[in-house]
Amino acid sequence: MDKINHILIIDDNSLDNFVSKKLIEVSNLVEKVTSLEDAAEALQYIKDLIISNPAEIPNIILLDINMPMMNGWEFLEEFSQIDERYTSNISIIVFSSNLYMDEIKKIQKFQNVSCYLRKPLSLPVVNKICLQYMEDTMLTYAY
């Protein structure tokens, strides 16, 4: 079975990061999982990959919205400025403990955001995300 090359988790909560990373690893559907706790660092990480190793650019980004310093909204704004040649195949999944209707509407304006999920992740949701990504039928609704 094919695997997704790379998933990037961006979440300031180290426990959520740990659990999400372990669930993705246990799914055995992803070659590489990277987790970062700072959105600005994650943005720089992606830009560095574009220059040094474009093959390692993440296929999927799990993005927490509510973070200190650079939040998920600011990340999405900055991310949308990156050349689409490098980002068009990246699916961003916004995940948060709580998303309000106005935030859900706001998410829809970002081209790379494919869906939103409520925390915490579960193995069935991780499996569904990965399998649908591999089948080119990425999620377009919430869990």
Side-chain angles (χ1 to χ4, degrees):
M1 173 189 269
D2 289 337
K3 292 186 176 186
I4 293 171
N5 186 50
H6 187 189
I7 291 181
L8 172 62
I9 304 165
I10 308 169
D11 190 340
D12 63 308
N13 184 311
S14 58
L15 179 59
D16 286 345
N17 257 349
F18 176 80
V19 170
S20 296
K21 186 172 184 179
K22 287 298 175 197
L23 285 170
I24 293 167
E25 290 170 348
V26 166
S27 78
N28 202 30
L29 295 170
V30 180
E31 290 290 335
K32 178 180 178 181
V33 184
T34 304
S35 62
L36 297 170
E37 294 182 14
D38 180 279
E41 179 185 356
L43 200 57
Q44 189 58 52
Y45 174 74
I46 294 166
K47 290 177 180 179
D48 290 346
L49 286 176
I50 288 169
I51 294 167
S52 65
N53 194 358
E56 287 297 314
I57 295 171
N59 307 94
I60 297 174
I61 297 173
L62 295 175
L63 175 66
D64 183 25
I65 286 294
N66 300 309
M67 294 184 285
M69 298 189 289
M70 177 183 272
N71 64 37
W73 301 116
E74 294 164 327
F75 175 89
L76 289 169
E77 289 291 344
E78 292 287 326
F79 182 87
S80 68
Q81 302 304 310
I82 299 173
D83 190 329
E84 286 185 23
R85 290 179 294 169
Y86 303 106
T87 62
S88 62
N89 292 325
I90 299 174
S91 290
I92 298 175
I93 298 171
V94 170
F95 73 139
S96 184
S97 301
N98 50 2
L99 278 173
Y100 301 102
M101 191 54 76
D102 60 326
E103 292 176 316
I104 293 167
K105 289 179 183 173
K106 188 175 177 182
I107 286 170
Q108 295 171 350
K109 81 173 196 165
F110 295 99
Q111 179 179 338
N112 289 81
V113 175
S114 56
C115 70
Y116 65 92
L117 302 172
R118 298 213 186 278
K119 286 185 186 181
L121 285 181
S122 66
L123 187 56
V125 170
V126 168
N127 287 336
K128 189 165 190 163
I129 290 167
C130 293
L131 292 171
Q132 287 187 338
Y133 181 87
M134 289 187 287
E135 294 170 358
D136 276 336
T137 57
M138 196 56 196
L139 297 171
T140 56
Y141 54 88
Y143 272 95

